[in-house]
């Protein structure tokens, strides 16, 4: 599991994550690695977070719930890109594709 945090040219947070998110322990590690970025975003006026999931499928419900919490409760504009059509289909099935503006992106 690797997670890298950077900023876009527009000073927005960009996180690239690769690895599987199958277990609750995987989710806890993901959330812990995300925390510095979330803390930093809380200080900004533009609270846009771009997540690029690389080879993440399958993804557990804890992670999806956490992303929804960031979007709905913490008012962070989470946008997701992935290189995996299955993950895109999952978000489509859950009717979250528009909420997270999920798109396919190659590495």
């Amino acid at each position: 599991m690797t997670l890298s945090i950077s900023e876009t040219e527009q000073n927005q947070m960009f996180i690239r994550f690769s690895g599987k998110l199958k277990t609750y322990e995987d989710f806890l590690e993901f959330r812990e690695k995300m925390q510095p970025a979330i803390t930093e975003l809380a200080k900004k006026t533009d609270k846009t977070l771009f997540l690029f999931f690389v080879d993440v499928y399958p993804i557990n419900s804890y992670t999806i719930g956490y992303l929804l919490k960031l979007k709905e409760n913490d008012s962070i504009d989470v946008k997701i890109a992935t290189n995996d059509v299955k993950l895109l289909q999952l978000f489509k099935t859950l009717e979250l594709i528009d909420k997270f503006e999920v798109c396919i992106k190659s590495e």
Side-chain angles (χ1 to χ4, degrees), residues 40-48 75:
E40 188 65 30
L41 267 175
K43 301 173 189 172
K44 295 185 173 199
T45 54
D46 182 0
K47 295 182 188 315
T48 303
S75 300

Side-chain angles (χ1 to χ4, degrees), residues 44-104:
K44 295 185 173 199
T45 54
D46 182 0
K47 295 182 188 315
T48 303
L49 172 64
F50 293 97
L51 277 172
F52 182 29
F53 285 128
V54 180
D55 301 326
V56 174
Y57 190 83
I59 189 170
N60 61 42
S61 59
Y62 304 111
T63 304
I64 294 170
Y66 177 66
L67 296 174
L68 280 168
K69 175 213 168 277
L70 292 176
K71 182 94 172 174
E72 299 294 320
N73 295 357
D74 300 341
S75 300
I76 295 174
D77 187 16
V78 180
K79 298 179 186 216
I80 298 173
T82 182
N83 68 335
D84 194 328
V85 175
K86 291 182 216 167
L87 187 58
L88 179 79
Q89 271 307 119
L90 175 64
F91 279 102
K92 191 173 191 175
T93 301
L94 296 173
E95 298 182 0
L96 295 173
I97 201 159
D98 292 330
K99 182 175 283 294
F100 291 116
E101 300 177 40
V102 183
C103 65
I104 288 287

Side-chain angles (χ1 to χ4, degrees), residues 30-43:
F30 171 77
R31 187 179 69 181
E32 182 181 321
K33 288 183 175 186
M34 290 272 296
Q35 195 53 50
I38 302 306
T39 302
E40 188 65 30
L41 267 175
K43 301 173 189 172

